[in-house]
Amino acid sequence: MLHEIRQISAAVNEVNIMNTDNRPIGVLDSGLGGISVLRELVKLMPGEDFLYYGDSANAPYGTRTPEEVIDLTKKDVDFLLERGAKAIVVACNTATSVAIRELREEYEKKDMIALIRRAYDKGVTFFDTAEVYGPYTSEEWVGEALAPFRNKAKIGTKFGFGVEEKQPTSLNSRPDHIRRAVEESLRRLRTDRIDLLYQHRVDPNVPMEEVAGTVKDLMQEGKVLHWGLSEASARSIRRAHAVCPLSAVQSEYAIWWREPETKIFPTLEELGIGFVPYCPLGRAFLTGVIDENSRFYEGDRRWNLPQFTPEALKHNMPLVALVRKWAKRKRVTPAQFALVWMLSRKAWIAPIPGTTNPAHLDDFLGAATVRLTPYEMEDFDKEYARIDLIGHRADPFTESQIDK
């Protein structure tokens, strides 16, 4: 996986790091300060095993055409990976940056396809994606990964943002837009049907009855098998269900964000609709890897969320301690306990924890066979009730698009 560090030293304008697994770190010099990069990295990551490699033909990349630079950079990256490099640091000019961007996409794609297939091999048969993720990239990779066993797996995807209009943060659930979005999702997913299609966010400008009617038509055509809503209110759920029965509702839900229990659970239970919680691990907060000194910056989804301000992190640490305590009691990891807690609450809850890490995937799957007894649930809730939590789950813009 590739990561970027900017302004790591005065000699370098941009540095890209490509991480693979458990290998030494290699430094590739494009003639723009590789030695300076190496010195800075030794300071930043003491104890790491570094390799240094100059550019091909022993000449600065800057003397070559952009096409030659891109080709040589890729060859040099492959050279280092074959020799065991864990991370490759490239001092970049413009053309080298193009090569690294292409390589990042290539290696990330390989890793994610391998991860999806690993999940399937371990018994995971439902995969959640959306056109807006990427945009498009997630659907493309899921489609390619699942193609060999498509008939044995279920895919959930979503429409509802103005992706095709280059406005991916704007809501759009017009009937014509839904149809185009579904056709494109089918193409990217390499399939002839979508097992579970969600409206990603309720569009206040399009009556729910029109949305449900459009999806009903798509279901009658065989292009959609089931449908659902995401971040919808009880009122919208009832309106949609009256036109075309819903199979699932997706919303954020975790030990530290339990609003759905009072807002929509009674409606879901009454109508027989399943619940698919995203962020069941509280964006990693509940796993114990975050502490009161953790800080998040732009580029990280948590950087502007009220739950992750320094004040909130410090104030909410007693919940992490409680999760650790119960994880030890149940002989599971904190991440597993967060999932066990959720799976123990209702039989119709199916959480979708996300990860790009094979070790985390394996950890999550360990929760499948563990449950809390009703008495344990009661005991946990009593302890939980004594903890005061602060911080909202969403930033103001995201909150403005959540149906109330």
Side-chain angles (χ1 to χ4, degrees), residues 208 212 227 229 235-246:
M208 181 56 71
W227 88 295
L229 303 178
R235 178 174 178 270
S236 292
I237 292 169
R238 289 185 181 279
R239 289 175 62 187
H241 193 74
V243 176
C244 184
L246 295 164

Side-chain angles (χ1 to χ4, degrees), residues 118-293:
R118 178 190 183 96
Y120 175 79
D121 289 341
K122 290 179 174 290
V124 177
T125 56
F126 177 71
F127 297 86
D128 181 88
T129 183
E131 64 167 353
V132 77
Y133 300 161
Y136 306 139
T137 310
S138 177
E139 285 188 328
E140 291 170 352
W141 293 358
V142 167
E144 183 172 342
L146 298 181
F149 36 84
R150 172 63 184 95
N151 292 333
K152 297 180 180 179
K154 306 297 183 185
I155 299 174
T157 192
K158 311 174 193 73
F159 68 85
F161 285 103
V163 181
E164 67 173 337
E165 298 87 3
K166 310 300 182 185
Q167 297 178 325
T169 61
S170 299
L171 301 180
N172 188 343
S173 283
R174 296 193 311 271
D176 61 325
H177 179 88
I178 295 173
R179 282 194 164 275
R180 290 196 301 273
V182 167
E183 292 297 336
E184 287 301 301
S185 289
L186 288 169
R187 180 183 61 80
R188 287 187 292 269
L189 291 167
R190 305 185 183 194
T191 187
D192 61 353
R193 79 281 184 192
I194 295 169
D195 299 291
L196 178 56
L197 179 70
Y198 294 98
Q199 181 188 34
H200 211 150
R201 292 291 184 272
V202 173
D203 187 343
N205 296 316
V206 182
M208 181 56 71
E209 290 75 12
E210 287 188 25
V211 174
T214 302
V215 176
K216 185 176 183 178
D217 290 342
L218 289 166
M219 293 174 71
Q220 291 173 345
E221 295 167 19
K223 296 177 179 179
V224 175
L225 303 187
H226 304 87
W227 88 295
L229 303 178
S230 180
E231 293 292 359
S233 66
R235 178 174 178 270
S236 292
I237 292 169
R238 289 185 181 279
R239 289 175 62 187
H241 193 74
V243 176
C244 184
L246 295 164
S247 293
V249 169
Q250 186 173 133
S251 183
E252 184 169 354
Y253 179 59
I255 292 174
W256 72 339
W257 181 257
R258 298 172 62 170
E259 183 179 82
E261 293 178 358
T262 55
K263 296 287 187 177
I264 62 173
F265 272 24
T267 301
L268 298 181
E269 199 150 26
E270 175 191 340
L271 300 178
I273 301 169
F275 183 56
V276 182
Y278 68 88
C279 292
L281 306 179
R283 304 183 191 274
F285 181 79
L286 301 172
T287 68
V289 300
I290 294 171
D291 61 30
E292 61 185 69
N293 298 312

Side-chain angles (χ1 to χ4, degrees), residues 10-79:
V12 182
N13 292 323
E14 182 177 347
V15 175
N16 296 269
I17 299 180
M18 177 187 295
N19 291 321
T20 55
D21 291 325
N22 302 318
R23 300 174 180 175
I25 290 180
V27 176
L28 172 65
D29 179 18
S30 66
L32 296 175
I35 290 293
S36 299
V37 175
L38 180 58
R39 290 179 182 142
E40 293 297 326
L41 285 172
V42 169
K43 294 177 186 177
L44 287 173
M45 295 180 278
E48 293 281 3
D49 186 9
F50 288 89
L51 297 174
Y52 177 77
Y53 181 59
D55 61 275
S56 297
N58 208 25
Y61 281 5
T63 64
R64 302 178 183 275
T65 67
E67 292 75 17
E68 289 176 323
V69 172
I70 292 170
D71 183 60
L72 288 169
T73 301
K74 290 182 177 180
K75 288 180 180 178
D76 284 339
V77 167
D78 287 338
F79 176 92

